[in-house]
């Protein structure tokens, strides 16, 4: 029997990147006000937010933008939606330092900066704290980009920088939740399951199915899965139906597809996360059914599914 399907209730999330601030090198960026042009631009881009919960970063440029664009008289404040915590010299080519941070290339300029993973996680915690059918969030470009990368909605590295640089002042992004991640229960011609052995620094290894987030540019979830298999395995596969779906948290779900391996060449894999030592190792393993019980396979629903297939009688 397949694990039960747990569906996340549908919801909308609207992100507002603040309008143009008045840059002042003598003042910390978190204290910048909107410029006159920023105030005008925000007022010229009204949003319909009936029955929405509206929350903003406490930084003035975000809070004022959100208030002007929504016309909401009671905008809430949540510090988890603030911009990246950092010590920054805005007159020393600060945009180059920001771009390097977004790409994940941290150096001496970022010694007192919040990491991308930490910023994305506290931002996500903020979203989970506001379980509204329609949530409007006033926020900032860097932290929003880090969160989108963390959810697999845009690629890390250079693609993330291109996305960040394309954001306007202000900028609105609409998402439908649940945000879907896709994984393949991938088998080869011998019936072995193709798993990724993940070894992260400071943690015990575990095994999981290949896959990842459905990016904003992906036409379908199945296209996203095929892309992830090429990136993580250098593989081509035939993708079948969804075997089961699980709820990750209040705004994310994960679908596991039946898939059959057609070809694989590990020299072709090019997942952007594979070259990051901080993320540890991604080792491809062909796992026979009798090995599954002795491995730490995550999530638990995947291990349950693989064990149930092993126990099923042959026909």
């Amino acid at each position: 029997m397949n694990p039960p399907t747990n569906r996340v209730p549908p919801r909308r999330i609207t992100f507002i990147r603040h309008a143009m601030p008045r840059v002042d090198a003598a003042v910390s960026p978190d204290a910048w006000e909107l410029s006159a042009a920023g105030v005008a631009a925000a007022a010229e881009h009204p949003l319909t937010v009936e029955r929405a919960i509206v929350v903003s970063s406490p930084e003035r440029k975000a809070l004022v933008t959100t208030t002007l664009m929504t016309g909401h008289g009671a905008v809430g404040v949540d510090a988890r939606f603030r911009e990246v915590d950092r010590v920054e010299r805005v007159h020393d080519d600060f945009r180059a330092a920001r771009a390097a941070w977004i790409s994940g290339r941290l150096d001496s300029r970022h010694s007192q900066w919040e990491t991308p993973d930490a910023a994305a996680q506290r931002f996500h915690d903020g979203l989970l704290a506001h379980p509204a059918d329609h949530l409007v969030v006033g926020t900032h470009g860097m932290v929003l980009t880090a969160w989108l990368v963390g959810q697999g909605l845009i690629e890390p590295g250079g693609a993330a920088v291109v996305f960040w640089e394309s954001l306007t002042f202000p900028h609105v992004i609409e998402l439908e939740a649940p945000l879907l991640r896709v994984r393949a229960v991938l088998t080869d011609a011998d019936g072995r399951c193709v798993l990724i052995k993940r070894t992260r620094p400071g943690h015990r290894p575990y095994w999981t199915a290949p896959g990842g987030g459905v990016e904003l540019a992906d036409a379908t979830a199945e296209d996203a899965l095929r892309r992830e298999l090429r990136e993580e395995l250098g593989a081509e596969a035939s993708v079948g139906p969804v075997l089961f779906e699980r709820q990750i948290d209040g705004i994310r779900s994960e679908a596991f597809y039946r898939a059959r391996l057609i070809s694989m060449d590990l020299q072709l894999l090019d997942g952007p996360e594979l070259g990051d030592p901080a993320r540890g190792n991604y080792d491809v393993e062909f796992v026979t059914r009798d090995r599954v019980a002795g491995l730490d396979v995550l999530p638990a629903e995947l291990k349950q599914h693989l064990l149930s297939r092993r126990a099923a009688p042959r026909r």
Side-chain angles (χ1 to χ4, degrees):
M1 178 181 298
N2 289 337
T5 297
N6 298 315
R7 295 195 177 275
V8 180
R11 59 186 300 203
R12 291 171 58 201
I13 305 175
T14 301
F15 296 108
I16 301 172
R17 192 270 188 97
H18 63 78
M20 180 63 72
R22 185 172 61 249
V23 177
D24 183 349
V27 178
S28 175
D30 60 8
W32 287 349
E33 299 279 350
L34 286 187
S35 66
V39 170
E44 291 170 0
H45 292 83
L47 292 177
T48 301
V49 294
E50 294 180 7
R51 295 184 293 278
I53 299 297
V54 183
V55 186
S56 173
S57 158
E59 296 186 30
R60 286 281 297 169
K61 54 184 177 288
L63 182 57
V64 173
T65 300
T66 305
T67 302
L68 289 172
M69 291 181 65
T70 63
H72 204 282
V75 175
V77 171
D78 190 325
R80 288 169 288 198
F81 299 132
R82 68 189 183 275
E83 186 56 290
V84 176
D85 296 333
R86 64 204 185 280
V87 175
E88 184 176 47
R89 295 174 59 85
V90 298
H91 55 287
D92 288 348
D93 199 11
F94 68 98
R95 286 191 63 84
R98 292 182 179 188
W101 184 92
I102 288 166
S103 71
R105 295 182 289 106
L106 305 187
D107 55 37
S108 60
R109 293 172 293 179
H110 310 107
S111 62
Q112 298 184 66
W113 290 41
E114 189 177 17
T115 67
D117 286 346
Q121 183 58 58
R122 53 96 166 156
F123 191 95
H124 192 73
D125 290 342
L127 295 176
L128 293 176
H130 302 280
D133 291 341
H134 183 194
L135 177 64
V136 179
V137 177
T139 189
H140 308 267
M142 286 193 294
V143 69
L144 177 58
T145 301
W147 180 80
L148 291 168
V149 169
Q151 300 311 306
L153 293 168
I154 57 176
E155 288 189 4
V161 176
V162 170
F163 173 85
W164 171 68
E165 290 178 336
S166 74
L167 295 175
T168 56
F169 293 96
H171 198 105
V172 176
I173 296 175
E174 297 271 4
L175 293 180
E176 297 288 335
L179 305 176
L180 183 64
R181 300 183 69 82
V182 289
R183 295 196 179 276
V185 181
L186 180 64
T187 55
D188 68 1
D190 297 322
R192 298 176 299 176
C193 192
V194 184
L195 297 178
I196 303 292
K197 180 183 178 182
R198 288 285 286 114
T199 308
R200 299 169 56 196
H203 298 270
R204 294 180 57 184
Y206 67 90
W207 286 255
T208 192
V214 178
E215 295 182 2
L216 297 176
D218 290 322
T220 67
E222 291 79 7
D223 287 341
L225 183 56
R226 294 186 185 95
R227 173 185 52 75
E228 287 286 348
L229 292 176
R230 288 192 292 270
E231 291 177 354
E232 291 190 351
L233 306 176
E236 297 295 333
S238 62
V239 176
V242 174
L243 295 169
F244 63 94
E245 185 175 347
R246 76 182 190 102
Q247 180 173 334
I248 299 176
D249 57 29
I251 58 175
R252 298 181 296 175
S253 66
E254 192 168 49
F256 288 77
Y257 287 77
R258 177 184 291 126
R260 181 58 62 93
L261 183 66
I262 297 173
S263 65
M264 184 168 69
D265 183 348
L266 295 180
Q267 294 185 357
L268 298 178
L269 56 85
D270 64 350
E273 72 277 9
L274 301 178
D276 185 354
R279 294 182 179 272
N281 295 331
Y282 294 73
D283 298 314
V284 180
E285 292 195 359
F286 291 82
V287 177
T288 57
R289 301 296 179 188
D290 57 358
R291 284 189 61 205
V292 172
L295 300 179
D296 185 13
V297 177
L298 297 177
E301 294 91 338
L302 173 61
K303 184 167 186 176
Q304 177 186 343
H305 176 80
L306 296 178
L307 289 174
S308 68
R309 290 186 63 188
R310 186 189 68 170
R314 293 183 178 273
R315 297 185 178 181

